[in-house]
Amino acid sequence: MTTIDEKPFAVLYSDKASRPNTPVNVIIGACIIKELFDYSDDELVEGLMLDLRLQYALHTTSFTEQPLSDKTLSRFRRRCYDYEQTHGVDLYKAAIQNYNKEIAKMMELDGKIRRMDSLMINSTMLLNPTDPEATYRRKAGKEYRGYVTNVEETVGKNGSVVTSYEYESNIHSDSQFIKEHRTTSYCIDSQKESARCFRI
């Protein structure tokens, strides 16, 4: 089974001798589980202490004490955010995309067919409802204030896996996302208007 490449995250930690940090693999794996099951940080930490399935998924069954706390998660997110603001590099996103591409290889998905879909995110779902970067947009007869996420799936006979995503202010149009992916052609998915399929 493929694992998260921890090397890029070394820039977030001191190179001086100190107490060992929680393995990045465990933190990112926990973040994935948190989003999949819509857990709060507290629910995830409590679940990891009591649920062997979570320990098995994160390879922590052999630990005498589970290496995760709510502070572990919040500090990791803050470090990633601060690094991105300073250097323009989203370490977390890069790790997720690389991991998912490895999964796509394991599923024998060649990447020739991909599917894109966009999702509106209201600013009330974010930490700061008055976020000045949140923008206003009307789509499909509904009004939105916030952001838009564009998700790309690699598709094949063995299934599909999300291999990329983008997060922009919601005035960023679907056509802009398509242009940014340097596609040569695309087709409208018959099941959903906002979904597009294209071949590289």
Side-chain angles (χ1 to χ4, degrees):
M1 182 64 179
T2 185
T3 57
I4 298 292
D5 182 8
E6 296 184 332
K7 294 186 186 70
F9 292 91
V11 295
L12 304 181
Y13 300 94
S14 172
D15 57 1
K16 297 179 181 178
S18 61
R19 189 178 70 176
N21 62 283
T22 301
V24 171
N25 264 293
V26 172
I27 298 175
I28 294 182
C31 289
I32 293 171
I33 290 172
K34 178 181 183 294
E35 297 304 323
L36 281 174
F37 295 100
D38 197 24
Y39 291 152
S40 66
D41 286 0
D42 288 339
E43 288 171 333
L44 178 63
V45 171
E46 182 179 352
L48 186 58
M49 289 189 292
L50 304 173
D51 193 334
L52 285 175
R53 295 172 301 175
L54 295 183
Q55 295 176 19
Y56 182 79
L58 297 176
H59 302 279
T60 62
T61 52
S62 63
F63 286 46
T64 54
E65 183 177 336
Q66 291 305 306
L68 205 64
S69 71
D70 56 342
K71 289 183 180 179
T72 307
L73 296 169
S74 60
R75 287 172 180 166
F76 180 77
R77 287 193 295 260
R78 170 54 65 180
R79 286 174 176 170
C80 287
Y81 175 81
D82 289 345
Y83 187 83
E84 182 181 1
Q85 293 303 303
T86 303
H87 301 280
V89 177
D90 188 340
L91 296 171
Y92 181 81
K93 177 182 176 181
I96 294 297
Q97 288 182 336
N98 289 335
Y99 183 69
N100 288 358
K101 285 174 183 175
E102 290 299 314
I103 292 175
K105 288 180 183 177
M106 290 172 60
M107 294 174 63
E108 298 181 349
L109 306 176
D110 60 16
K112 290 183 178 179
I113 302 178
R114 300 178 189 174
R115 178 181 182 273
M116 293 173 65
D117 199 2
S118 59
L119 171 69
M120 292 292 180
I121 302 176
N122 288 325
S123 60
T124 53
M125 296 169 62
L126 305 175
L127 293 178
N128 183 4
T130 59
D131 189 337
E133 294 182 3
T135 50
Y136 173 82
R137 180 179 176 185
R138 176 183 287 271
K139 184 176 181 180
K142 294 182 179 181
E143 297 178 353
Y144 299 90
R145 177 178 172 80
Y147 300 83
V148 62
T149 297
N150 193 69
V151 177
E152 177 188 304
E153 289 178 281
T154 296
V155 183
K157 63 180 181 180
N158 295 325
S160 66
V161 62
V162 173
T163 47
S164 182
Y165 65 89
E166 300 295 334
Y167 181 72
E168 300 285 351
S169 58
N170 73 3
I171 58 173
H172 206 80
S173 69
D174 292 350
S175 60
Q176 285 175 286
F177 281 121
I178 292 176
K179 288 177 182 177
E180 290 162 3
H181 277 269
R182 300 176 181 176
T183 60
T184 55
S185 64
Y186 65 95
C187 63
I188 303 298
D189 187 295
S190 61
Q191 308 232 331
K192 194 172 184 182
E193 275 188 15
S194 61
R196 287 93 59 204
C197 296
F198 56 90
R199 291 180 180 273
I200 300 300

